Amino acid sequence: MGRTSLEHEEFLRSVDAFHLRVLAEIDYPQSIFRDGKVKDTICIFGSARILSPDECNAMENEERTEKAEAFFQKRKELSSYYVEAYETAKLITNWGKEISKEYHRMAVCTGGGPGIMEAANRGAREAGGPSLGLNIRLPFEQTVNPYVDPNISVEFHYFFMRKLWFLRLSKGVVAFPGGFGTVDELFETLTLIQTGRNNLKIPVILYGSKFWNSIFQLDAMKDYGLIDPLDLDLITYCDSPSEVLEVLKKKVPLEAD
């Protein structure tokens, strides 16, 4: 007798089985979050490349060219966001614990990697709450950080399925400084809210107004008529962890557990 289709690994990895792999990335995370009693989340996005202050200190005395030193100082400047992501996640986690009963509420959820993601997962873990990581297999950069709880976390193969699960349970998004990946997740979230394709108008917070205003000017989109003036109200800028918590408490509806 030959192998059944489920035992045929070559078939399961083939083009013909694409839809089976997609269904698995729908149903498997759903079962993980259900069994882990995770009701809803707050997603924290941000760069995998941002160093912690400890990493910066360890690199401080390395010999560098003038150009490399200037680049290091830029990276060091961003390390404060690591600390603030950590503190933000702790505040959100403590709030979630206060309002949780049978299910985990406002569980911190990240992309599961280094940098800002590590900081947020670390804050959530050390505050004694759930620490979700939705990781993605990449050829570089994206290793799973040690503060992710493996019992309620998932590694994805497909970016689009990972994005679906970022927002599936999300009651809010906090975007710390980041690159292409962070901006992609940010604008996809805004597009889904703007077009009504997301079930709720969840709050979207840009953390670090100085950074984000240096990256893009959203007012220009409004001035050219490319977005509605009210679309700018979808975004709130925050510059401290306490501000983030205040905005979330104000804008996140707290239906019954």
Side-chain angles (χ1 to χ4, degrees):
M1 294 289 290
R3 289 173 291 175
T4 68
S5 58
L6 294 180
E7 296 171 320
H8 201 301
E9 191 168 331
E10 184 180 346
F11 167 72
L12 292 175
R13 294 180 181 277
S14 70
V15 173
D16 290 335
F18 168 75
H19 65 292
L20 297 178
R21 296 193 298 275
V22 171
L23 285 173
E25 292 206 340
I26 293 174
D27 293 339
Y28 177 62
Q30 183 168 275
S31 69
I32 291 290
F33 302 143
R34 182 189 62 237
D35 293 346
K37 295 192 172 183
V38 176
K39 181 177 177 65
D40 44 40
T41 64
I42 300 294
C43 289
I44 297 182
F45 298 145
S47 177
R49 304 186 188 194
I50 288 181
L51 302 173
S52 69
D54 286 344
E55 288 173 309
C56 288
N57 289 338
M59 298 167 63
E60 190 73 54
N61 296 322
E62 293 179 6
E63 290 189 11
R64 283 180 284 268
T65 65
E66 185 176 339
K67 183 177 180 180
E69 178 62 24
F71 180 62
F72 171 69
Q73 291 302 322
K74 277 289 190 184
R75 297 192 73 189
K76 186 178 176 182
E77 183 182 325
L78 290 180
S79 68
S80 62
Y81 289 113
Y82 183 101
V83 177
E84 291 167 82
Y86 169 84
E87 294 294 342
T88 298
K90 285 185 72 173
L91 289 178
I92 292 171
T93 299
N94 286 328
W95 174 44
K97 287 165 64 179
E98 289 172 8
I99 63 176
S100 294
K101 295 178 182 177
E102 183 180 354
Y103 295 93
H104 295 300
R105 305 296 310 275
M106 310 304 155
V108 167
C109 178
T110 80
I116 291 297
M117 295 172 279
E118 175 188 290
N121 285 128
R122 183 177 180 179
R125 171 70 71 88
E126 293 183 5
S131 181
L132 281 70
L134 307 187
N135 198 45
I136 187 80
R137 290 187 179 181
L138 296 177
F140 60 91
E141 190 175 281
Q142 191 75 6
T143 56
V144 181
N145 73 67
Y147 303 101
V148 163
D149 183 345
N151 296 315
I152 50 173
S153 298
V154 181
E155 183 170 72
F156 288 86
H157 179 75
Y158 296 109
F159 262 114
F160 68 95
M161 293 309 305
R162 182 185 186 227
K163 289 178 178 179
L164 181 151
W165 278 108
F166 270 138
L167 293 184
R168 183 75 172 172
L169 302 179
S170 180
K171 293 295 185 182
V173 167
V174 186
F176 279 78
F180 288 170
T182 302
V183 172
D184 173 51
E185 290 154 355
L186 168 64
F187 276 99
E188 180 151 356
T189 300
L190 289 171
T191 300
L192 290 171
I193 298 171
Q194 179 202 50
T195 56
R197 301 303 294 177
N198 202 54
N199 291 332
L200 296 172
K201 282 197 172 183
I202 61 174
V204 177
I205 296 170
L206 295 188
Y207 193 100
S209 56
K210 179 182 177 182
F211 172 84
W212 288 113
N213 285 326
S214 72
I215 298 301
F216 44 68
Q217 294 291 331
L218 295 180
D219 281 337
M221 291 185 184
K222 178 196 70 174
D223 294 341
Y224 281 110
L226 302 177
I227 59 173
D228 190 275
L230 292 177
D231 290 334
L232 294 178
D233 294 339
L234 299 176
I235 296 171
T236 304
Y237 292 87
C238 288
D239 291 298
S240 72
S242 59
E243 269 189 279
V244 172
L245 185 63
E246 183 180 343
V247 170
L248 291 175
K249 284 185 171 182
K250 180 180 179 181
K251 295 192 175 185
V252 173
L254 291 180
E255 69 275 12
D257 198 343

